[in-house]
Amino acid sequence: MEYFKDGTVCGIENCPSKEFRWESGMKVCKRGHEHEGVQRQQDEDDFGKEGRKTRRKKEVEEKAVPAHRGSRALELYFQAYQLILWKQCFALVHDKGFPSEFEGVVRDLWALRLQLLKDRLGDVSEESGTSKMFRSQVEVLESGSEEGLGKKGGSPKENIPRLVGTLGLCYLGGILLRLPISLGDIYRWAVREEIPFFRAIRHIPRTLRSKLLPQYVGALDTQVLIQPETLHKAVYRLVILFDHSFSMTLPALNYPPLLFKFIRELALPLELYITVQRLSSLLSRSHTFPTPNPRQTFHTLPEIQLLSLLIIATKLHHPHDSIPRCTSTLTEPGTLALDWDAWCQAQATHAEKSSTTKSARRAKTIATSEKDVFAMSNAQLDDYLDWYEETWVDQSGEPNPKGLPQQLLDMFPMQRRQSNNIETSTPLPPGSDAETTHGESLTIDKLVAVQQSMKLRDLVSEPSEGGLGLEVPVVRRIGSFYKHYRREEDLSSEPARAFHEAAAELVGVSLTTLLQCVFRNERELRLWKDRKDRNGVARGAEADGDASDV
């Protein structure tokens, strides 16, 4: 017999019973007291349903797909790696104006890298490893292979290719096509998220991402900015790899347009182009990657060598001091003196206006620390949270992939960025044509401001020898009082520091590395001059000996 509780007490004859049953339609307590006037009428439709129990169905949880291991895990990692590389090539071709052949060149370089780890994944047919290259679909390379730099000429600790290697492959693809690009450009595009690199794992479909091992997910989830030198080292490791494994020699840099680009970006006089060519000829620079050497330093890399020679030419014709120098003819290089105060002002104005673009703001946002948040305005906080939502929040389409309480999610709505597509300020979409045009106009404005501030040097002819005991006047010529900067502490003047910092950012190295590279090239020029002087003295001595014999 089943009893029920309805929250009442029987109370008949002080009965404390709280349990009741239905008997012949009457409510009866457990002790048998009948409650008159309380009857239960049963609906005919509910016949036979008394005492029926219902239970809530449990939600069926989706079982997580177990991550693969062994060669299959490597294969999935290579597929994800290749997909990121394809997205980078797609952005460079469609947003940066690279030729359509660029994707095919990078694909061939990637295919060469795949051949070096074929033994780790087993036998792979050539058709399955090449015909499915660089497709937009996720299901690429049913059977792939990959290479690490653990071979000869590479680091033995590196068993899988790092994500920074994708940027190196893109750069080498541009070198093979003779494009005037620098590693500084690749580094800035990666930092500003104009090409996929920062947190590249979010560009991988969730179905593929869930099957990757944690160490492979971490390899594709870059959460900190890479150092500029890291990219240069990665490129040089690739050069060593292709040279040792395939005897492939990369062509020389297409330095004429690249040098012109450096001069234009630094707002320098165009006459320095001829001086750099002369210095390059004196030092027998071929602008090619050096012979593989484990003890190689940055100053031997062709791009840094080219910029170092440009800095030396600038210091020869336009030194960062206030010493007045004269010219002997109006055709001499450096006749028009560069006003470094005006250059610093133009550079600061250019940097301030360039920071309004969305790409530049993203580069700053990535490097934001906890202390920077307290100094942000409301607009900066909104922009930072929008970037955080776009970068860190799961965009797989699921309403709540982490299973967080809905009350907590309602406190932080994420619909403002989607609903407010119109920017209230002036920033432009990253990598867009409008942003590129905006940057070109800012560069032209900087060039005009610097060129207008240049002044003509004093024209002083060569002084004749003094007569009657008169001293010959000292004339300071262009190139005199040349100053070396070996460490950052040596950059005592503001123009010198601002110029070298802009040059280091342009090529993608630190200021200390650039100063060391420039100093090494200056030392080579000094040795060349000493050899020339010794040869001149030796030839003069031989001429005097021949005359005495006569």
Side-chain angles (χ1 to χ4, degrees):
M1 190 173 295
E2 296 182 358
Y3 289 88
F4 66 92
K5 295 181 180 180
D6 57 0
T8 61
V9 181
C10 177
I12 300 176
E13 296 179 357
N14 296 325
C15 177
S17 178
K18 297 181 181 181
E19 298 181 0
F20 304 90
R21 70 178 184 275
W22 293 105
E23 184 175 339
S24 300
M26 299 292 292
K27 183 178 179 181
V28 183
C29 74
K30 193 173 184 180
R31 295 188 178 184
H33 298 116
E34 296 182 358
H35 291 252
E36 297 180 357
V38 180
Q39 297 182 357
R40 179 185 181 189
Q41 295 181 356
Q42 184 173 356
D43 192 355
E44 295 180 357
D45 296 336
D46 294 336
F47 179 78
K49 294 185 179 181
E50 183 176 357
R52 185 177 180 180
K53 297 181 180 180
T54 59
R55 292 181 175 87
R56 185 177 62 180
K57 295 182 180 180
K58 295 183 179 180
E59 297 180 359
V60 179
E61 297 182 358
E62 183 180 356
K63 296 182 180 180
V65 180
H68 296 276
R69 297 185 180 277
S71 60
R72 177 58 179 168
L74 274 177
E75 181 181 342
L76 292 176
Y77 173 74
F78 299 152
Q79 291 180 14
Y81 189 93
Q82 175 177 283
L83 182 60
I84 295 174
L85 180 60
W86 176 83
K87 287 179 177 290
Q88 291 175 349
C89 293
F90 185 87
L92 291 174
V93 172
H94 292 82
D95 296 337
K96 298 302 178 183
F98 280 39
S100 58
E101 298 82 7
F102 174 76
E103 184 176 318
V105 173
V106 177
R107 178 190 59 198
D108 295 338
L109 293 175
W110 170 244
L112 291 177
R113 295 198 66 188
L114 285 175
Q115 295 182 12
L116 299 181
L117 276 187
K118 185 183 298 184
D119 54 343
R120 298 188 61 182
L121 297 179
D123 295 333
V124 181
S125 62
E126 182 180 359
E127 180 181 1
S128 63
T130 58
S131 62
K132 296 184 180 180
M133 287 284 182
F134 277 62
R135 293 185 181 178
S136 58
Q137 292 83 358
V138 180
E139 53 274 12
V140 289
L141 273 180
E142 176 63 23
S143 180
S145 57
E146 173 60 26
E147 166 277 337
L149 294 182
K151 303 288 184 179
K152 294 182 179 180
S155 172
K157 298 181 180 180
E158 190 174 20
N159 297 322
I160 61 173
R162 298 180 181 179
L163 188 60
V164 70
T166 59
L167 302 180
L169 289 175
C170 292
Y171 175 73
L172 295 182
I175 295 297
L176 291 174
L177 290 177
R178 308 282 289 168
L179 300 178
I181 62 171
S182 67
L183 270 177
D185 297 330
I186 301 293
Y187 177 78
R188 281 189 298 274
W189 293 337
V191 169
R192 296 181 178 185
E193 297 188 71
E194 298 181 23
I195 57 177
F197 184 78
F198 185 77
R199 293 218 71 226
I201 190 66
R202 58 194 165 105
H203 299 283
I204 303 300
R206 188 177 182 85
T207 55
L208 177 59
R209 192 192 324 164
S210 61
K211 300 177 183 179
L212 294 175
L213 292 178
Q215 58 266 32
Y216 296 150
V217 173
L220 300 177
D221 191 8
T222 52
Q223 301 183 8
V224 295
L225 295 178
I226 61 172
Q227 297 298 324
E229 284 86 355
T230 304
L231 181 56
H232 285 272
K233 292 178 181 179
V235 170
Y236 187 62
R237 285 198 298 267
L238 288 175
V239 172
I240 295 177
L241 173 71
F242 290 134
D243 178 79
H244 180 271
S245 302
F246 305 102
S247 300
M248 188 181 78
T249 303
L250 292 172
L253 293 180
N254 190 11
Y255 81 92
L258 186 60
L259 177 59
F260 175 76
K261 179 181 178 180
F262 287 162
I263 294 175
R264 187 172 182 270
E265 293 293 332
L266 294 175
L268 298 175
L270 190 57
E271 61 187 12
L272 296 177
Y273 184 93
I274 303 300
T275 305
V276 173
Q277 285 188 323
R278 293 177 179 175
L279 294 176
S280 178
S281 177
L282 292 177
L283 297 179
S284 301
R285 295 288 187 239
S286 59
H287 304 291
T288 58
F289 283 92
T291 304
N293 186 351
R295 302 184 61 182
Q296 206 69 250
T297 57
F298 281 102
H299 84 283
T300 58
L301 300 180
E303 189 174 322
I304 301 180
Q305 281 186 348
L306 184 63
L307 184 63
S308 299
L309 295 180
L310 177 59
I311 294 176
I312 294 174
T314 304
K315 292 167 64 177
L316 283 171
H317 297 307
H318 307 280
H320 307 92
D321 54 32
S322 57
I323 300 177
R325 293 173 176 81
C326 303
T327 178
S328 58
T329 61
L330 294 177
T331 59
E332 183 179 356
T335 302
L336 290 175
L338 193 64
D339 188 349
W340 284 109
D341 293 333
W343 186 93
C344 292
Q345 181 64 32
Q347 182 70 18
T349 303
H350 179 270
E352 181 180 358
K353 292 182 178 180
S354 299
S355 61
T356 60
T357 61
K358 191 171 184 179
S359 298
R361 286 174 15 181
R362 284 190 175 187
K364 295 180 180 179
T365 304
I366 296 175
T368 300
S369 62
E370 295 83 352
K371 297 181 180 179
D372 300 332
V373 176
F374 292 99
M376 288 183 177
S377 61
N378 293 335
Q380 291 174 338
L381 281 174
D382 290 339
D383 189 39
Y384 176 76
L385 292 177
D386 289 344
W387 168 83
Y388 193 92
E389 175 187 349
E390 181 181 351
T391 306
W392 294 90
V393 176
D394 196 319
Q395 303 290 338
S396 59
E398 300 182 15
N400 190 4
K402 298 296 183 181
L404 299 175
Q406 188 62 35
Q407 294 82 355
L408 180 61
L409 295 178
D410 293 339
M411 297 173 61
F412 303 96
M414 298 186 299
Q415 302 298 327
R416 190 188 70 84
R417 182 171 60 88
Q418 291 84 352
S419 60
N420 187 15
N421 294 327
I422 301 177
E423 297 283 350
T424 56
S425 54
T426 56
L428 301 170
S432 62
D433 294 337
E435 182 174 333
T436 303
T437 305
H438 180 66
E440 289 292 331
S441 62
L442 292 179
T443 303
I444 293 176
D445 293 341
K446 181 175 68 172
L447 284 169
V448 171
V450 173
Q451 297 293 332
Q452 288 179 348
S453 64
M454 298 183 69
K455 299 178 182 179
L456 183 66
R457 298 183 188 271
D458 294 335
L459 181 62
V460 178
S461 59
E462 294 293 338
S464 58
E465 297 183 359
L468 301 177
L470 297 178
E471 296 182 358
V472 178
V474 178
V475 179
R476 299 184 178 90
R477 294 296 183 186
I478 298 175
S480 60
F481 298 97
Y482 186 89
K483 190 172 183 180
H484 300 273
Y485 303 112
R486 193 170 185 177
R487 296 176 297 273
E488 293 187 33
E489 295 77 11
D490 299 336
L491 300 173
S492 56
S493 63
E494 179 182 356
R497 176 172 290 274
F499 172 72
H500 285 83
E501 287 179 350
E505 182 181 359
L506 183 62
V507 79
V509 293
S510 64
L511 181 59
T512 302
T513 302
L514 180 63
L515 292 177
Q516 293 175 354
C517 295
V518 173
F519 183 78
R520 287 176 178 269
N521 284 274
E522 290 172 342
R523 187 170 60 182
E524 291 184 23
L525 286 172
R526 181 65 183 179
L527 294 176
W528 171 85
K529 186 176 183 303
D530 293 342
R531 288 194 301 268
K532 181 181 178 182
D533 294 341
R534 287 195 298 269
N535 293 335
V537 172
R539 284 194 297 268
E542 292 178 359
D544 294 340
D546 294 341
S548 61
D549 293 340
V550 174

